Amino acid sequence: MGRRKGSGIGIALVTVAALAGVSACSGGSGSSGDDGKAAGKPSASASHAPAKPKGPPMLLETITPQTGSTVGVAMPVSVVFTDPVAAKARAAVEKHMKVSTSKPVAGAWHWFGDKRADWRPKEYWPSGTTVKVDADMKDVTNGNGRYGVRNYTHTFKVGDDVRADVSVTGHTMKVTKNGSTVRTLSINAGSAEYPTWNGTMAVIDKQEKVHMTSCSVGISCDKGSANYYDLTLPWDVHLTQSGTYVHYSTGDPNPGSGSARGSHGCVHLSLADAKWFYGQVKQGDPITITGSPRAKAPADNGYAAFNVSWDQWLAGSASGEGTTATL
């Protein structure tokens, strides 16, 4: 299924940012030295305050996760700027977005276009880690004539290591918690016409009910079409911004290998299993899907940072790999 257009992620510092994607469930250094003045004689500018940066402000639209939240082991730090950041300014901007943790963690920033920068650990976060993000943007330039005007601080915690592994061909989803299998559930995934994304997608959010329409995600606006739908469905775990969910569907009430029903790209659970799964997962928990004929979800289609290799991730970083400061 696909969600109605206009509903956002709902996780924001100032306003909610829409993360891009294609429908899934729906188809220089300075120098120092002598200034030439005689000893004991101040320079002409010594009594003047430094010039303030000129130009409009550089603002952050969102920082995710929200401060005070508890997230899963695959959750990146995602920063969205209101205006483009020039390539020449990104290393300095990254330097001023400091990530500190309760235990050292290797990681790096990666730019998706010129407005979004995500920081992910090289491997999954260790459970129990406290993370603090200090985005000290004051007087920092975006390279396009704008300058930061304030500091932003977010602190969050990494909770239990909850994962779900979906086998499209096996019609199963195995749920583990801190390395131990909790339950294996029966599922149906996308049809041959509308296959599910492969790869690892960190949970964006979850809602008890979501209104989903085929028209809003480009499948069909024709009420006479077999692929037309306009439904409000329960227990929805959101995987991609393009519309992939793990949820219950009234059109596929008993998913599993016996029913052989295909979705429009979502992962279907029975009503009881969908409600149970909804209660187990949180933002940032990794849901890994294998066996679909579709490619891996793009890393910026929600929070699918672990769908690219570490080398690919570093290729999008201006400052490269680093280790977090210790809280």
Side-chain angles (χ1 to χ4, degrees), residues 62-307:
T62 64
I63 299 179
T64 308
Q66 287 186 321
T67 194
S69 60
T70 297
V71 301
V73 296
M75 186 68 201
V77 175
S78 187
V79 178
V80 178
F81 295 81
T82 57
D83 295 280
V85 177
K88 63 185 178 183
R90 291 175 194 169
V93 169
E94 289 179 22
K95 181 180 178 181
H96 285 84
M97 297 191 297
K98 180 181 177 182
V99 180
S100 303
T101 53
S102 55
K103 58 187 75 174
V105 176
W109 290 99
H110 178 99
W111 289 83
F112 296 109
D114 54 13
K115 290 185 180 180
R116 176 179 169 185
D118 284 14
W119 192 100
R120 57 155 270 203
K122 187 174 182 179
E123 308 292 342
Y124 286 161
W125 294 104
S127 292
T129 304
T130 298
V131 184
K132 182 180 181 183
V133 183
D134 290 300
D136 183 4
M137 295 289 101
K138 192 170 182 181
D139 297 339
V140 177
T141 180
N142 71 349
N144 290 317
R146 292 179 176 270
Y147 292 84
V149 295
R150 57 163 290 187
N151 303 336
Y152 306 80
T153 300
H154 275 217
T155 301
F156 61 94
K157 187 173 182 179
V158 181
D160 286 326
D161 184 349
V162 176
R163 310 184 191 191
D165 292 290
V166 175
S167 170
V168 172
T169 54
H171 295 273
T172 59
M173 180 169 71
K174 183 175 73 172
V175 181
T176 63
K177 183 175 182 178
N178 299 324
S180 298
T181 300
V182 181
R183 284 180 65 180
T184 299
L185 311 173
S186 295
I187 65 98
N188 278 334
S191 65
E193 185 178 4
Y194 300 102
T196 304
W197 288 111
N198 270 314
T200 297
M201 292 146 275
V203 172
I204 297 172
D205 57 23
K206 59 182 184 178
Q207 294 175 260
E208 290 189 8
K209 293 181 180 180
V210 173
H211 185 197
M212 300 182 179
T213 71
S214 58
C215 189
S216 70
V217 289
I219 291 180
S220 176
C221 297
D222 178 7
K223 292 184 179 181
S225 169
N227 286 311
Y228 179 84
Y229 57 85
D230 185 343
L231 300 166
T232 298
L233 297 172
W235 312 120
D236 305 282
V237 177
H238 195 183
L239 300 188
T240 68
Q241 188 61 17
S242 62
T244 308
Y245 287 82
V246 178
H247 68 155
Y248 169 74
S249 174
T250 53
D252 188 17
N254 299 298
S257 59
S259 69
R261 290 289 298 273
S263 74
H264 289 92
C266 288
V267 175
H268 289 169
L269 296 169
S270 71
L271 182 60
D273 286 349
K275 183 176 182 180
W276 176 85
F277 183 67
Y278 182 93
Q280 302 301 306
V281 295
K282 57 190 174 298
Q283 182 188 40
D285 285 340
I287 313 300
T288 300
I289 298 174
T290 57
S292 173
R294 199 172 191 181
K296 291 183 178 181
D300 60 345
N301 188 2
Y303 303 119
F306 287 92
N307 275 352

